Short mmCIF file of all heavy atoms in Angstrom, two decimals:
data_model
loop_
_atom_site.label_atom_id
_atom_site.label_comp_id
_atom_site.label_asym_id
_atom_site.label_seq_id
_atom_site.Cartn_x
_atom_site.Cartn_y
_atom_site.Cartn_z
N ALA A 24 -65.44 21.94 -1.85
CA ALA A 24 -64.41 21.50 -0.86
C ALA A 24 -63.55 22.76 -0.46
O ALA A 24 -63.52 23.76 -1.05
CB ALA A 24 -63.51 20.47 -1.51
N ASN A 25 -62.75 22.44 0.55
CA ASN A 25 -61.77 23.46 0.92
C ASN A 25 -60.37 22.86 0.38
O ASN A 25 -60.38 21.74 0.04
CB ASN A 25 -61.65 23.82 2.37
CG ASN A 25 -61.31 22.63 3.28
OD1 ASN A 25 -60.24 21.95 3.10
ND2 ASN A 25 -62.10 22.36 4.24
N SER A 26 -59.41 23.67 0.26
CA SER A 26 -58.22 23.30 -0.49
C SER A 26 -57.55 22.06 0.26
O SER A 26 -56.82 21.36 -0.45
CB SER A 26 -57.29 24.43 -0.61
OG SER A 26 -56.87 24.94 0.61
N SER A 27 -57.75 21.86 1.46
CA SER A 27 -57.03 20.77 2.29
C SER A 27 -57.57 19.40 1.79
O SER A 27 -56.92 18.43 2.01
CB SER A 27 -57.24 20.92 3.77
OG SER A 27 -58.47 20.53 4.13
N LEU A 28 -58.76 19.36 1.26
CA LEU A 28 -59.50 18.13 0.88
C LEU A 28 -59.74 17.15 2.02
O LEU A 28 -60.18 16.03 1.83
CB LEU A 28 -58.61 17.36 -0.10
CG LEU A 28 -58.35 17.98 -1.50
CD1 LEU A 28 -57.49 17.05 -2.42
CD2 LEU A 28 -59.72 18.06 -2.22
N LEU A 29 -59.66 17.72 3.30
CA LEU A 29 -59.77 16.91 4.52
C LEU A 29 -61.06 17.10 5.23
O LEU A 29 -61.22 16.78 6.36
CB LEU A 29 -58.55 17.11 5.36
CG LEU A 29 -57.28 16.71 4.77
CD1 LEU A 29 -56.15 16.93 5.69
CD2 LEU A 29 -57.11 15.31 4.24
N CYS A 50 -58.91 11.18 -0.01
CA CYS A 50 -58.43 12.55 0.03
C CYS A 50 -57.11 12.57 0.66
O CYS A 50 -56.10 13.30 0.17
CB CYS A 50 -59.38 13.40 0.80
SG CYS A 50 -60.90 13.82 -0.07
N ARG A 51 -56.78 11.75 1.60
CA ARG A 51 -55.51 11.66 2.24
C ARG A 51 -54.45 11.12 1.32
O ARG A 51 -53.36 11.70 1.24
CB ARG A 51 -55.56 10.91 3.59
CG ARG A 51 -56.18 11.64 4.64
CD ARG A 51 -56.03 10.90 5.96
NE ARG A 51 -56.51 11.70 7.09
CZ ARG A 51 -57.29 11.23 8.07
NH1 ARG A 51 -57.65 9.96 8.12
NH2 ARG A 51 -57.67 12.13 8.95
N LEU A 53 -54.60 11.55 -1.90
CA LEU A 53 -54.37 12.67 -2.87
C LEU A 53 -53.38 13.71 -2.26
O LEU A 53 -52.47 14.24 -2.89
CB LEU A 53 -55.64 13.38 -3.23
CG LEU A 53 -56.50 12.58 -4.21
CD1 LEU A 53 -57.89 13.28 -4.28
CD2 LEU A 53 -55.93 12.45 -5.55
N ARG A 54 -53.51 14.01 -0.96
CA ARG A 54 -52.66 14.88 -0.24
C ARG A 54 -51.28 14.36 -0.15
O ARG A 54 -50.29 15.07 -0.10
CB ARG A 54 -53.19 15.33 1.11
CG ARG A 54 -54.37 16.22 1.14
CD ARG A 54 -54.08 17.55 0.50
NE ARG A 54 -52.97 18.30 1.03
CZ ARG A 54 -53.05 19.14 2.06
NH1 ARG A 54 -54.15 19.41 2.51
NH2 ARG A 54 -51.96 19.75 2.46
N ALA A 55 -51.17 13.11 -0.01
CA ALA A 55 -49.85 12.47 0.04
C ALA A 55 -49.11 12.35 -1.24
O ALA A 55 -47.91 12.07 -1.39
CB ALA A 55 -49.96 10.98 0.68
N GLY A 56 -49.88 12.59 -2.36
CA GLY A 56 -49.34 12.44 -3.67
C GLY A 56 -49.37 13.81 -4.41
O GLY A 56 -48.69 14.82 -3.95
N PRO A 57 -50.13 13.86 -5.58
CA PRO A 57 -50.07 15.13 -6.32
C PRO A 57 -50.59 16.38 -5.79
O PRO A 57 -50.34 17.42 -6.24
CB PRO A 57 -50.87 14.64 -7.64
CG PRO A 57 -51.81 13.65 -7.10
CD PRO A 57 -51.01 12.88 -5.97
N TYR A 58 -51.38 16.29 -4.69
CA TYR A 58 -51.93 17.44 -4.08
C TYR A 58 -51.40 17.76 -2.68
O TYR A 58 -52.20 18.07 -1.74
CB TYR A 58 -53.47 17.43 -4.12
CG TYR A 58 -54.03 17.34 -5.48
CD1 TYR A 58 -54.28 16.13 -6.05
CD2 TYR A 58 -54.05 18.50 -6.37
CE1 TYR A 58 -54.78 16.03 -7.43
CE2 TYR A 58 -54.48 18.46 -7.60
CZ TYR A 58 -54.86 17.21 -8.13
OH TYR A 58 -55.29 17.12 -9.40
N GLY A 59 -50.18 17.59 -2.51
CA GLY A 59 -49.48 17.70 -1.24
C GLY A 59 -49.69 19.13 -0.63
O GLY A 59 -49.79 19.28 0.62
N LYS A 60 -49.88 20.13 -1.53
CA LYS A 60 -50.11 21.50 -0.94
C LYS A 60 -51.55 21.81 -0.93
O LYS A 60 -52.00 23.05 -0.76
CB LYS A 60 -49.33 22.51 -1.82
CG LYS A 60 -47.78 22.32 -1.59
CD LYS A 60 -47.11 23.40 -2.39
CE LYS A 60 -45.54 23.20 -2.19
NZ LYS A 60 -44.80 24.20 -2.98
N GLY A 61 -52.40 20.90 -1.28
CA GLY A 61 -53.81 21.18 -1.43
C GLY A 61 -54.34 21.27 -2.79
O GLY A 61 -53.49 21.47 -3.78
N LEU A 62 -55.60 21.31 -3.02
CA LEU A 62 -56.22 21.48 -4.34
C LEU A 62 -56.35 23.02 -4.65
O LEU A 62 -56.97 23.67 -3.89
CB LEU A 62 -57.54 20.75 -4.37
CG LEU A 62 -58.27 20.76 -5.77
CD1 LEU A 62 -57.54 20.03 -6.73
CD2 LEU A 62 -59.69 20.17 -5.56
N PRO A 63 -55.71 23.44 -5.81
CA PRO A 63 -55.89 24.83 -6.07
C PRO A 63 -57.32 25.30 -6.31
O PRO A 63 -58.10 24.53 -6.91
CB PRO A 63 -55.06 24.98 -7.34
CG PRO A 63 -54.12 23.85 -7.31
CD PRO A 63 -54.85 22.67 -6.65
N THR A 64 -57.68 26.54 -6.08
CA THR A 64 -58.91 27.11 -6.44
C THR A 64 -59.22 26.98 -7.92
O THR A 64 -58.36 27.29 -8.72
CB THR A 64 -58.99 28.56 -5.98
OG1 THR A 64 -58.65 28.65 -4.57
CG2 THR A 64 -60.35 29.21 -6.22
N GLY A 65 -60.51 26.51 -8.22
CA GLY A 65 -60.89 26.40 -9.52
C GLY A 65 -60.55 25.08 -10.21
O GLY A 65 -60.99 24.83 -11.34
N GLN A 66 -59.76 24.20 -9.58
CA GLN A 66 -59.54 22.87 -10.05
C GLN A 66 -60.46 21.88 -9.53
O GLN A 66 -61.18 22.15 -8.63
CB GLN A 66 -58.07 22.51 -9.71
CG GLN A 66 -57.04 23.51 -10.37
CD GLN A 66 -57.12 23.46 -11.82
OE1 GLN A 66 -57.00 22.50 -12.48
NE2 GLN A 66 -57.34 24.65 -12.39
N ALA A 67 -60.41 20.60 -10.08
CA ALA A 67 -61.24 19.50 -9.58
C ALA A 67 -60.56 18.26 -9.59
O ALA A 67 -59.63 18.02 -10.41
CB ALA A 67 -62.47 19.41 -10.44
N VAL A 68 -60.83 17.34 -8.65
CA VAL A 68 -60.27 16.01 -8.52
C VAL A 68 -61.33 15.07 -7.96
O VAL A 68 -62.23 15.51 -7.17
CB VAL A 68 -59.03 16.05 -7.70
CG1 VAL A 68 -59.35 16.37 -6.29
CG2 VAL A 68 -58.27 14.73 -7.81
N HIS A 82 -64.24 16.86 -6.01
CA HIS A 82 -63.92 17.94 -5.18
C HIS A 82 -63.48 19.14 -5.98
O HIS A 82 -62.60 18.94 -6.77
CB HIS A 82 -62.90 17.53 -4.17
CG HIS A 82 -63.21 16.23 -3.43
ND1 HIS A 82 -63.92 16.20 -2.26
CD2 HIS A 82 -63.04 14.88 -3.80
CE1 HIS A 82 -64.02 14.99 -1.80
NE2 HIS A 82 -63.63 14.18 -2.71
N THR A 83 -64.04 20.32 -5.69
CA THR A 83 -63.54 21.48 -6.33
C THR A 83 -63.59 22.63 -5.32
O THR A 83 -64.27 22.62 -4.36
CB THR A 83 -64.43 21.90 -7.54
OG1 THR A 83 -63.87 22.94 -8.22
CG2 THR A 83 -65.89 22.33 -7.14
N VAL A 84 -62.54 23.52 -5.42
CA VAL A 84 -62.38 24.56 -4.43
C VAL A 84 -62.83 25.88 -5.09
O VAL A 84 -62.21 26.38 -6.06
CB VAL A 84 -60.93 24.69 -3.95
CG1 VAL A 84 -60.72 25.74 -2.90
CG2 VAL A 84 -60.43 23.35 -3.42
#
Side-chain angles (χ1 to χ4, degrees):
N25 65 55
S26 64
S27 77
L28 296 173
L29 301 178
C50 287
R51 285 189 173 135
L53 289 168
R54 286 300 305 268
Y58 297 100
K60 293 181 180 179
L62 183 63
T64 301
Q66 298 300 304
V68 66
H82 306 266
T83 190
V84 180

